[in-house]
Amino acid sequence: MTSTILIRNGVVVDTEPDPVVLGQVDVRIEDGLIAEVGPGLPEVAGAEVIDATGRIVLPGFVDTHRHTWQAGIRAVAPDITFDTYLRRVLTELAPRHRPQDVYAGNLAGALECLDAGITTLLDWSHVQFSPDHTDAAVRGLGESGIRAVFGYCYGGDSGELTKETRRVHDTLFCASGLVTMVVAALGPEIVGEERSLEEWRVAAELGLPVTAHLGGHGAESAERGLAFLEANGLLATPTTFVHALHYTDEALRRIAAAGGTASLAPVDEMNLGLGYPATGRLRAAGIPTGLGADTVVCAPGDMFSLMRTVHLLERGRPDGAGMGFTTRDALRMATIEGAQVLGLADVIGSLRPGKQADVVLLRTDTLGMAAAHDPIGAVVLNADTSAVDTVLVGGRVVKRDGRLLHHDVAAVLSTLIESADMVANP
């Protein structure tokens, strides 16, 4: 039996090929897919009707890079450098995480995303100290109801990377669903060449993309890493360059020619001193570029903050070179362009018929959002998480009237707080 949802009378914003305000129109969803967008759509017997009067209706946001397990160590180091982050978070706190702590962080972190209108998440998970840690991370994502891409970063003893990556792929991702998999690689700028080759080769064997921290550690490291990938033919595997800050324009042309994508975490990159986000240069080179919260250790976890930051930093370049960057560009990066980065542009990121119905309704009947003349400008510059009224993932309503529906949020938070205390005070 067909399941139908009609979203009525909202101000609809679509994002493909570029963000545009369609006006006060309706959206019809059939069996989890966008079926039709237009004015005055006919009634459908048995349909669930969502009254979107006073709401902006748009595609769900796409976070292209987040260490979700760190939800339990939020603001543990808000004013640190990257070197201190490596020592405090990855050397001291990460190994204290038991599988149940990873589960608690991933479940709470994914629900945080849904609550803020982020319907798709790339979980860059480098807390894989055992198979139990991995299983717990994937379980947390799955139970949340979010659309997630699990970035598996092997963290066990040397010699088992290929075997364990195959196990994760074959046992946890043998069936299609909301949670899929990519390889989160540490090479070639963080670890040596041998491991780097193994990471990309097992990804190619399994038909998986790669996401890696590339270009965020200085110009020399960026060029050396890119040259290594090119020399070994590794860019034949779709690769996302996370924190791609220090490439020359010539290097960006090479990345674009190879089909590479990029993910920027503008708050985190500035806060940790990694460098100034190369937003305009990346997009001018033809490299699809998305946004990511990265870590709530020292950055916010919502897309509104990221859109505002990337808009401010690009337009605020001292030489005025970024003044052509608009709120529409920021929204595009947070939706359809982010979907391109994850290889999901045919599935999500816009309200085109046939795509998955990942949809967000934002309130405009508040003092902070009322009387907005440009809905896109209001989404990027004025909205915050309090505006997120209703969220759908694949046509399933996961938040309604400002409340998450399918979880005991108080219990989730209680478990997270207990876990956080265990991690911080072992």
Side-chain angles (χ1 to χ4, degrees):
M1 181 177 178
T2 300
S3 171
T4 303
I5 296 175
L6 280 172
I7 302 176
R8 291 284 199 198
N9 301 319
V11 175
V12 176
V13 174
D14 200 8
T15 54
E16 188 178 3
D18 293 298
V20 61
V21 180
L22 300 180
Q24 189 167 316
V25 298
D26 303 332
V27 179
R28 179 167 59 88
I29 298 167
E30 299 279 1
D31 292 334
L33 302 178
I34 302 293
E36 189 176 5
V37 179
L41 295 184
E43 298 290 340
V44 177
E48 175 186 354
V49 177
I50 297 176
D51 182 4
T53 303
R55 305 290 187 264
I56 297 173
V57 181
L58 70 159
F61 299 126
V62 180
D63 185 321
T64 58
H65 182 75
R66 180 185 295 240
H67 305 301
T68 316
W69 62 271
Q70 295 177 359
I73 50 175
R74 184 186 311 276
V76 73
D79 303 304
I80 59 171
T81 64
F82 182 62
D83 289 342
T84 308
Y85 168 84
L86 293 178
R87 182 175 68 252
R88 175 66 173 141
V89 176
L90 298 188
T91 302
E92 295 177 8
L93 295 177
R96 297 177 188 172
H97 281 70
R98 305 162 297 173
Q100 57 264 44
D101 300 317
V102 175
Y103 166 79
N106 261 29
L107 176 58
L111 290 178
E112 174 188 1
C113 289
L114 289 175
D115 196 44
I118 296 170
T119 54
T120 299
L121 163 69
L122 185 293
D123 177 29
W124 213 105
S125 192
H126 51 354
V127 67
Q128 314 309 316
F129 299 116
S130 73
D132 288 342
H133 284 79
T134 303
D135 297 352
V138 175
R139 183 163 62 91
L141 294 175
E143 291 183 9
S144 74
I146 201 167
R147 188 181 306 280
V149 180
F150 180 65
Y152 175 73
C153 181
Y154 175 72
D157 296 331
S158 61
E160 297 292 319
L161 186 153
T162 295
K163 177 182 177 182
E164 184 60 14
T165 305
R166 287 172 178 159
R167 181 198 75 84
V168 173
H169 176 265
D170 294 345
T171 61
L172 301 183
F173 297 94
C174 57
S176 61
L178 284 177
V179 184
T180 55
M181 178 182 176
V182 300
V183 170
L186 287 177
E189 293 189 46
I190 299 175
V191 296
E193 295 183 357
E194 184 176 347
R195 166 149 177 167
S196 303
L197 289 171
E198 187 174 4
E199 288 172 328
W200 262 264
R201 285 172 179 168
V202 71
E205 172 196 320
L206 298 174
L208 299 175
V210 172
T211 175
H213 297 81
L214 296 165
H217 309 288
E220 182 181 348
S221 177
E223 177 55 36
R224 184 175 62 250
L226 178 57
F228 171 82
L229 295 176
E230 292 172 325
N232 289 279
L234 302 184
L235 292 181
T237 296
T239 299
T240 297
F241 291 67
V242 179
H243 308 311
L245 309 179
H246 298 292
Y247 293 108
T248 64
D249 289 344
E250 188 271 335
L252 293 182
R253 287 191 289 270
R254 287 150 56 195
I255 292 171
T261 60
S263 175
L264 296 176
V267 177
D268 193 64
E269 287 155 4
M270 294 295 284
N271 199 15
L272 291 176
L274 295 179
Y276 207 98
T279 313
R281 293 177 58 238
L282 284 162
R283 300 177 79 244
I287 299 172
T289 304
L291 299 173
D294 199 348
T295 172
V296 296
V297 165
C298 58
D302 66 282
M303 190 59 67
F304 303 106
S305 297
L306 301 180
M307 288 190 291
R308 268 194 285 279
T309 300
V310 78
H311 180 260
L312 168 69
L313 292 178
E314 189 60 25
R315 288 181 65 85
R317 289 186 179 278
D319 57 5
M323 289 302 291
F325 189 83
T326 69
T327 52
R328 280 159 171 74
D329 294 322
L331 181 60
R332 193 180 197 282
M333 292 176 71
T335 53
I336 185 62
E337 204 162 329
Q340 288 178 272
V341 171
L342 300 187
L344 296 175
D346 292 337
V347 180
I348 58 166
S350 75
L351 301 180
R352 289 294 179 92
K355 288 195 175 186
Q356 292 285 321
D358 293 3
V359 184
V360 174
L361 278 64
L362 302 180
R363 295 180 59 182
T364 63
D365 58 346
T366 65
L367 291 172
M369 287 287 284
H373 292 261
D374 183 339
I376 293 174
V379 170
V380 175
L381 298 180
N382 305 116
D384 58 29
T385 56
S386 67
V388 180
D389 178 80
T390 301
V391 179
L392 294 83
V393 178
R396 178 179 184 240
V397 180
V398 297
K399 183 177 183 179
R400 189 194 304 273
D401 297 329
R403 298 183 61 183
L404 292 172
L405 297 183
H406 306 296
H407 295 83
D408 183 340
V409 176
V412 171
L413 293 176
S414 177
T415 300
L416 180 70
I417 291 168
E418 180 182 349
S419 166
D421 184 61
M422 290 289 295
V423 169
N425 304 290

